[in-house]
Amino acid sequence: MSLLGAIFLFVIWVAGAAASIAWAFSLGATLVLGLVLWNSFFGFCTAVGLMAFWSREHWLGD
């Protein structure tokens, strides 16, 4: 992964974490719940995205 890609992922993580924390606070939950929900969702999406990216040769038939 390039430096630009890592910075892009970090920016997405920060924006999502802020939104998830705000959503958790609006429901009367804690900061930790917002972070746990966001990190689990972000981690899952990142893992699936990277798995698809790394296996693109297999799916494209190269």
Side-chain angles (χ1 to χ4, degrees):
M1 177 181 296
S2 66
L3 179 61
L4 185 60
I7 291 171
F8 180 69
L9 277 179
F10 181 71
V11 168
I12 290 174
W13 181 86
V14 168
S20 184
I21 290 168
W23 177 73
F25 281 157
S26 75
L27 295 177
T30 63
L31 170 106
V32 174
L33 180 64
L35 284 175
V36 166
L37 290 174
W38 174 246
N39 283 327
S40 61
F41 175 74
F42 182 77
F44 173 77
C45 290
T46 301
V48 169
L50 289 176
M51 183 176 55
F53 177 76
W54 287 329
S55 64
R56 67 190 181 280
E57 292 89 6
H58 172 73
W59 300 112
L60 293 175
D62 289 340

